[in-house]
Amino acid sequence: MKTHLKGFALAGLTSAAALFANAASAVEIEYWQYFFDARVEAMEQLIENFEAANPDITVTMTHFPYADYRTKVAAAIPAGEGPDVVQLFYGWLNDYVEAELIQPLPADTFPAAKIDEEFFPMVQAMKDGDAYWALPTAVRSLALFYNERLFEEAGIDGPPATLDELMETAAALTKTDSAGNITQVGITAGMTAQDHHWFREGLVRQFGGEPYTDDYQTVNYNTEAGIAALEFYTNMFMGENPVTAIGFMDEPQAAFKAGRAGMHIDGSFRIGSLDNTRGLKWGVAELPATADGVQSNYSSYWVNAVTTKAEGEKYDAAVKFMEYITSDEAMQIWLDVVGELPAKPSVGMTEANANDEIFGPFIRGLSYANTTKFANESAQRQLLVEMVERMQLEGMSAADSIAIAAQAEQALLDEYYAD
C-alpha cells in the first residue's frame, strides 16, 4: 500500500510538473478590437474555442471605446506594446501599412490565389500584389429595420419596397404633439450613423449617378443625380411634412431601440444588440428600390491583421490565430452572435443563411453592394454631416451645399493620394 501511495504521489507530482511546464511554455498573444458588446461576446467564444484546440497558446483580448481605439493602437505598437493581432476598419488599411503598424500575412499560410477564390471579391481590397495584409471574419451590408408593433398599430401590412413607399410609410408612422413637435419618427436620420453610406452608395447610384470615379480617387456626386439624392434625403426632415428629425433621441439606433422610430437603416452588425433589446419586436427588409427597380447598397468590413509587434513564437501564434478567426466555423459563430455576414460564400450562401428572415436581406444585398474606398473615413463622413447642416442652419440649397462638400472632399483625396 505504501509503495502504491508513493507511486501515486510521484505520478501526481510528475503530472503537476508537466502541467506547470506546459503553462510556463505557453505563448501569450494579445488581441485588440473596439468595444461593441456583440463583437466582444463573439470573440470570447472564438478565443475559447481556439485555446481549447491550442492549449499552448493563450489569447488575451483588450477592447476600447471606438472613439479612442485608433489612437490607442497607433501609440502602443511602435512602443513594442499592445496587440499581436489587431482589428481595423478596411478603410484604415493604407494608414496602418504606411505607419508600419501591421505586416503582410505569410504567403504560405494565406496564398493570395486561394483567398481570391474562397472569399467574397470585396476582400481583394486588402491585397497588394501577391500578398494580403489583412482578412475579415465577416462583411456587412445595409438593410431596413422596421418596428413590427408600430407597423401593426398604423395598419401597415409590411415594409416598403420602393423609395416612394418608404416616404409614404414613414409619414404614416410619424407622430407629433399638440405643438407640432415630432414624438415618434417614421424613419431615423443622421449622417453620423449609416446614412452617409446610404447616401453615397445607395441614393446617388439609385438616382443615376456614381459617387466616385478613378477607383474612388475622384469625387463625382456633384451632379444632377447627387443633387436629387440629397434633396430626397433632406426632404425627410426639411420637407413640408417631415417624417424624421436629425438628432432625435441623440442617436438613430437609440430611437429605434427605444421603440420611438418606425424604421431605421443600419448595418447587419446591429442585429446582435437589437436581439438583446427587451420588448422590441422588429423585422428586416432589403433597402427600398426605385420605382424602376434599381437597387443599390453599401458593403464594408472590419479585418484582422498581424501587427509588427508580433515576432518569433508570438508571430507564429498570431498567424495560427488568424487562421482560425477567418475559418468557416468562426464566420458562422460571428454571424450568429454579431449578425455580420460571413466573408466567404461557402458560409454566407448556404440555403439556411441566404434565406434566413433576418440575415437573408443583408446577404441578398451583397449582390448589388459597393464598397467605398476611403482615404479618411471619419473626415469624409464629417463633410457630409456639414453638407446637411448648411442646408438646415443656413438655408443653403442642395446644389450649393453639395458643391462645397465635393470640393472639400476632392481636396482631401488629392492630398492623400499625392502622398
Side-chain angles (χ1 to χ4, degrees):
M1 178 67 69
K2 290 182 179 180
T3 304
H4 174 73
L5 290 175
K6 182 177 180 181
F8 180 82
L10 288 173
L13 288 173
T14 302
S15 177
L19 290 172
F20 180 80
N22 287 339
S25 62
V27 179
E28 181 175 342
I29 59 173
E30 289 191 52
Y31 176 81
W32 280 19
Q33 68 171 332
Y34 78 89
F35 178 78
F36 185 78
D37 51 1
R39 283 174 167 268
V40 172
E41 181 184 348
M43 186 52 65
E44 286 174 343
Q45 290 188 33
L46 297 187
I47 290 174
E48 182 179 353
N49 292 349
F50 176 77
E51 290 181 339
N54 299 274
D56 57 334
I57 302 175
T58 299
V59 182
T60 302
M61 176 172 58
T62 301
H63 47 76
F64 299 96
Y66 180 86
D68 302 330
Y69 184 67
R70 293 189 70 182
T71 303
K72 295 283 189 182
V73 171
I77 296 174
E81 301 173 351
D84 299 288
V85 179
V86 65
Q87 189 181 87
L88 60 129
F89 188 60
Y90 81 97
W92 302 343
L93 179 72
N94 291 339
D95 294 338
Y96 275 58
V97 171
E98 184 177 348
E100 298 183 351
L101 299 178
I102 61 176
Q103 52 187 310
L105 299 176
D108 57 342
T109 308
F110 297 96
K114 183 179 180 181
I115 295 171
D116 291 347
E117 179 182 352
E118 294 184 351
F119 283 74
F120 281 114
M122 66 188 71
V123 171
Q124 294 177 25
M126 298 297 97
K127 182 173 64 172
D128 182 16
D130 292 329
Y132 270 84
W133 286 86
L135 282 175
T137 299
V139 295
R140 59 194 190 186
S141 63
L142 302 178
L144 181 72
F145 291 92
Y146 60 97
N147 186 309
E148 294 181 347
R149 295 185 190 279
L150 298 185
F151 269 57
E152 292 171 5
E153 179 185 295
I156 303 171
D157 293 334
T162 68
L163 292 175
D164 290 339
E165 291 177 5
L166 178 72
M167 293 298 292
E168 293 171 3
T169 303
L173 293 165
T174 303
K175 293 182 179 180
T176 58
D177 59 21
S178 58
N181 299 310
I182 293 180
T183 57
Q184 176 180 296
V185 295
I187 183 171
T188 61
M191 288 289 188
T192 55
Q194 299 301 308
D195 283 3
H196 71 111
H197 298 308
W198 179 41
F199 171 76
R200 283 193 193 89
E201 301 291 5
L203 294 176
V204 171
R205 292 182 183 277
Q206 287 180 290
F207 279 86
E210 186 177 359
Y212 303 88
T213 57
D214 189 27
D215 196 26
Y216 285 86
Q217 295 184 37
T218 301
V219 176
N220 195 49
Y221 55 72
N222 184 21
T223 60
E224 290 185 6
I227 294 169
L230 180 57
E231 288 177 338
F232 173 87
Y233 180 76
T234 54
N235 187 57
M236 295 196 304
F237 46 87
M238 293 178 61
E240 185 175 344
N241 297 300
V243 297
T244 189
I246 297 291
F248 183 77
M249 292 192 68
D250 294 331
E251 294 180 332
Q253 62 269 25
F256 187 77
K257 291 175 74 172
R260 299 278 296 281
M263 296 178 289
H264 172 59
I265 291 176
D266 211 334
S268 43
F269 55 84
R270 193 66 60 192
I271 293 172
S273 62
L274 292 180
D275 268 341
N276 296 323
T277 303
R278 187 175 180 179
L280 184 65
K281 185 181 178 184
W282 53 275
V284 183
E286 291 181 64
L287 292 184
T290 65
D292 297 331
V294 178
Q295 295 176 293
S296 192
N297 204 318
Y298 165 73
S299 179
S300 67
Y301 47 94
W302 284 74
V303 294
N304 295 293
V306 177
T307 72
T308 49
K309 175 208 169 193
E311 298 178 342
E313 61 182 6
K314 286 183 178 289
Y315 174 80
D316 295 336
V319 170
K320 185 174 286 190
F321 185 57
M322 278 286 301
E323 282 188 274
Y324 176 66
I325 59 178
T326 55
S327 67
D328 287 20
E329 176 183 310
M331 290 180 187
Q332 185 63 52
I333 291 173
W334 203 266
L335 173 65
D336 294 338
V337 178
V338 185
E340 291 185 326
L341 318 176
K344 294 179 180 179
S346 59
V347 186
M349 298 308 294
T350 63
E351 184 176 353
N353 287 339
N355 295 316
D356 186 273
E357 63 178 3
I358 299 299
F359 301 134
F362 293 100
I363 293 174
R364 293 193 295 273
L366 289 173
S367 66
Y368 50 85
N370 292 277
T371 299
T372 308
K373 294 183 179 180
F374 288 106
N376 185 325
E377 192 261 352
S378 59
Q380 289 173 264
R381 177 182 61 222
Q382 182 59 30
L383 292 175
L384 297 194
V385 171
E386 295 169 359
M387 176 180 69
V388 171
E389 288 178 342
R390 284 190 295 271
M391 295 178 65
Q392 279 191 293
L393 304 178
E394 302 174 24
M396 188 176 290
S397 69
D400 289 342
S401 193
I402 202 170
I404 293 172
Q407 183 178 19
E409 186 168 2
Q410 189 60 60
L412 184 155
L413 294 177
D414 289 345
E415 181 179 0
Y416 178 83
Y417 287 107
D419 293 340

